[in-house]
């Protein structure tokens, strides 16, 4: 590692076995020379303020003060680099919105942990890819600007403007973008409220479309319509949601 002699690391987890697993992983790396452990969010806040570590391995679900509470208490501008280590995947979007370097799911293996640590090294050395930094630091308005989707150990960043349509699948949705689809853990009703209504419209109880992706509204029987997207996808416009595609969005039906 160039430019940095050592890494001062802090492990924060209320489970002793989890702290031991992370500690054993870190002891294999000679550049991690200062290692402190905390078993609560409150202890972590005090340790960060007193010791100013370079890197924090932070659990999310902890009693009293959770991982996000730690960041809020310390302040994003004063918070060291963070790698979330958790058993729960539903916090991934929020984790990246607070500029976490990585999001490692338990149980993890050596290869996955080492990849996260190497990512931290690059960031500490100032060599972290600037394109990703710019993406994570992109100003966020009222609505989602992107979805951060984990699949097969990888993280996909899907910009809102790139989404063609969204399909409900129980407590998940399939996000269709540029001929690819990504499974995202969010109920369609919850996601609808986070998307810009000037761009995204619900057309069916199981479908949301990006109005910029619509090529044609095709009349069917009994006054119904099909929504045809630019890639040829055909979706049903239900009577319940027909008003969502009226005058203010597509010039009327």
């Amino acid at each position: 590692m160039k430019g940095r002699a050592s890494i001062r690391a802090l492990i924060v987890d209320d489970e002793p076995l989890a702290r031991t697993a992370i500690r054993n992983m870190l002891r294999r790396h000679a550049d991690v020379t200062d290692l402190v452990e905390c078993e609560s969010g409150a202890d972590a806040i005090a340790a960060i303020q007193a010791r100013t570590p370079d890197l924090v391995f932070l659990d999310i679900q902890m009693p009293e003060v959770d991982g996000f509470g730690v960041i809020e208490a310390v302040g994003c501008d004063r918070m060291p680099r963070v790698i979330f280590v958790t058993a729960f995947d539903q916090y991934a979007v929020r984790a990246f919105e607070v500029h976490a370097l990585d999001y490692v799911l338990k149980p993890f293996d050596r290869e996955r942990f080492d990849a996260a640590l190497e990512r931290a090294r690059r960031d500490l050395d100032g060599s972290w890819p600037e394109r990703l930094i710019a993406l994570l630091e992109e100003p966020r308005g009222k609505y989602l600007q992107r979805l951060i989707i984990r699949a097969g150990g990888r993280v996909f960043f899907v910009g809102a403007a790139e989404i063609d349509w969204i399909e409900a699948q129980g407590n998940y949705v399939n996000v269709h973008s540029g001929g690819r689809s990504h499974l995202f853990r969010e109920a369609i009703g919850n996601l609808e409220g986070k998307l810009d209504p000037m761009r995204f419209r619900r057309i069916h109880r199981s479908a949301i479309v990006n109005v910029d992706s619509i090529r044609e509204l095709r009349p069917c029987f009994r006054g119904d319509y099909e929504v045809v997207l630019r890639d040829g996808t055909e979706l049903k416009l239900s009577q319940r949601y027909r008003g969502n595609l009226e005058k203010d969005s597509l010039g009327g039906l």
Side-chain angles (χ1 to χ4, degrees):
M1 182 183 62
K2 62 182 179 179
R4 178 171 291 272
S6 64
I7 295 175
R8 295 168 294 146
L10 177 67
I11 301 170
V12 184
D13 201 304
D14 62 323
E15 298 179 0
L17 289 178
R19 294 197 304 272
T20 298
I22 297 173
R23 181 176 67 247
N24 289 341
M25 289 284 184
L26 289 173
R27 282 179 173 172
R28 298 168 34 249
H29 297 272
D31 56 339
V32 182
T33 59
D34 186 358
L35 186 57
V36 176
E37 298 179 28
C38 294
E39 62 181 16
S40 72
D43 289 344
I45 294 167
I48 291 168
Q49 292 172 338
R51 304 180 66 92
T52 60
D54 300 307
L55 179 63
V56 180
F57 292 87
L58 184 60
D59 189 19
I60 291 180
Q61 287 201 346
M62 295 182 292
E64 298 182 5
V65 182
D66 66 9
F68 294 113
V70 171
I71 295 174
E72 290 169 2
V74 174
C76 287
D77 57 333
R78 297 182 299 277
M79 189 70 191
R81 276 75 167 180
V82 173
I83 294 176
F84 281 107
V85 184
T86 178
F88 304 93
D89 64 0
Q90 65 263 40
Y91 302 107
V93 170
R94 188 178 176 193
F96 282 103
E97 286 182 344
V98 296
H99 300 182
L101 289 178
D102 210 334
Y103 190 94
V104 179
L105 287 175
K106 304 173 185 176
F108 50 82
D109 57 22
R110 177 180 295 186
E111 181 179 5
R112 180 67 184 90
F113 186 89
D114 287 355
L117 182 58
E118 178 59 26
R119 184 169 295 170
R121 287 191 183 104
R122 292 176 182 174
D123 187 72
L124 290 166
D125 287 341
S127 57
W128 180 243
E130 291 191 8
R131 181 176 178 275
L132 183 55
I133 287 290
L135 182 63
L136 294 179
E137 293 182 344
E138 178 182 275
R140 298 182 301 277
K142 182 177 179 182
Y143 301 107
L144 286 178
Q145 301 300 309
R146 62 185 180 274
L147 297 183
I148 302 172
I149 301 172
R150 297 187 61 87
R154 301 169 66 187
V155 179
F156 296 90
F157 297 82
V158 181
E162 301 169 4
I163 298 172
D164 296 312
W165 69 288
I166 298 167
E167 174 186 18
Q169 291 195 353
N171 291 325
Y172 290 78
V173 292
N174 240 337
V175 178
H176 298 270
S177 172
R180 301 184 64 182
S181 63
H182 305 277
L183 196 62
F184 183 64
R185 188 170 182 175
E186 181 93 49
I188 193 168
N190 292 337
L191 185 57
E192 180 184 12
K194 299 176 183 179
L195 296 170
D196 184 352
M198 296 301 294
R199 170 172 283 162
F200 292 95
R201 298 298 172 100
R202 187 86 170 262
I203 63 167
H204 192 273
R205 62 183 177 83
S206 61
I208 296 172
V209 297
N210 183 339
V211 295
D212 290 335
S213 296
I214 297 175
R215 184 183 72 198
E216 177 185 0
L217 294 177
R218 182 180 297 162
C220 302
F221 297 107
R222 301 171 185 167
D224 289 338
Y225 283 83
E226 280 185 345
V227 178
V228 183
L229 304 187
R230 298 186 188 280
D231 64 1
T233 299
E234 298 178 357
L235 304 171
K236 181 180 179 181
L237 171 60
S238 72
Q239 288 286 347
R240 177 181 176 183
Y241 295 100
R242 178 170 169 172
N244 288 349
L245 290 187
E246 287 187 337
K247 296 179 181 178
D248 61 331
S249 57
L250 293 177
L253 295 180

